[in-house]
Amino acid sequence: MKWKVIIGLLAIVLIVTVVSTGIYQLTVAEAKGREQEVVLQAEKRLKQELTPDTVTFENVFNGQTQYTVFSMKKDGTALRAFVPAKGKIETRPVKDGMKIADVIRQNGNQGKIVSSKYGFEERALIEIVTETASGYDYSYYTYQEGSFIKRLRIN
């Protein structure tokens, strides 16, 4: 009798593991694979059209227009490149090749950061939410240069 219970429990664990793995492969892994394909195509296009010295992948933004963002150096100048699937590649100068994580570290009280995320409407933004004594501060920075845009305080 004990062996039947043990075998039954092991079968349940095995079934749950197989089903979970299948669901993961059909959702998360498949989406990551599609994103990786977009990144590779964008990087290939960037290297062909602008011939940068170095290229570092940063992020893929999906919104009104999907585009892949890279940090790159060309002729000693640090740039951020915005590569859409179709259309013109945009570049912006970036002070010292700044990364998104650096913008978050440099701006906001590190002990009170509630969340930070990247998103966009027409263009990418960095949103940093910090807790204050009476509520929350929402600070927005440009993704391109990391410069401050606006602050919204909710009490």
Side-chain angles (χ1 to χ4, degrees), residues 17-148:
T17 303
V18 168
V19 169
S20 299
T21 302
I23 290 171
Y24 176 83
Q25 289 298 324
L26 290 173
T27 57
V28 176
E30 197 265 333
K32 285 182 180 179
R34 274 186 282 134
E35 182 178 281
Q36 186 64 28
E37 187 177 314
V38 167
V39 170
L40 292 174
Q41 289 173 354
E43 185 173 2
K44 180 180 176 183
R45 181 174 171 220
L46 178 67
K47 287 180 178 179
Q48 285 176 347
E49 292 183 22
L50 300 181
T51 61
D53 301 330
T54 62
V55 174
T56 305
F57 167 71
E58 286 202 21
N59 215 332
V60 174
F61 287 100
N62 295 304
Q64 292 177 355
T65 302
Q66 180 188 54
Y67 56 94
T68 308
V69 182
F70 296 93
S71 289
M72 62 181 231
K73 287 197 176 185
K74 183 171 180 160
D75 302 327
T77 304
L79 301 168
R80 187 158 285 135
F82 298 86
V83 184
K86 295 178 182 175
K88 184 181 175 193
I89 296 175
E90 295 180 42
T91 60
R92 305 282 169 107
V94 180
K95 185 178 82 178
D96 300 324
M98 165 187 52
K99 301 281 185 200
I100 296 172
D102 295 337
V103 174
I104 294 169
R105 258 192 306 281
Q106 293 168 4
N107 301 291
N109 184 344
Q110 296 302 307
K112 301 208 176 202
I113 289 181
V114 175
S115 73
S116 60
K117 62 183 181 179
Y118 324 119
F120 65 97
E121 293 297 324
E122 291 292 324
R123 181 55 83 197
L125 299 173
I126 300 171
E127 176 188 74
I128 302 174
V129 181
T130 54
E131 188 175 9
T132 63
S134 61
Y136 297 95
D137 275 349
Y138 289 77
S139 301
Y140 296 92
Y141 301 85
T142 61
Y143 182 76
Q144 294 88 342
E145 293 88 17
S147 57
F148 179 73

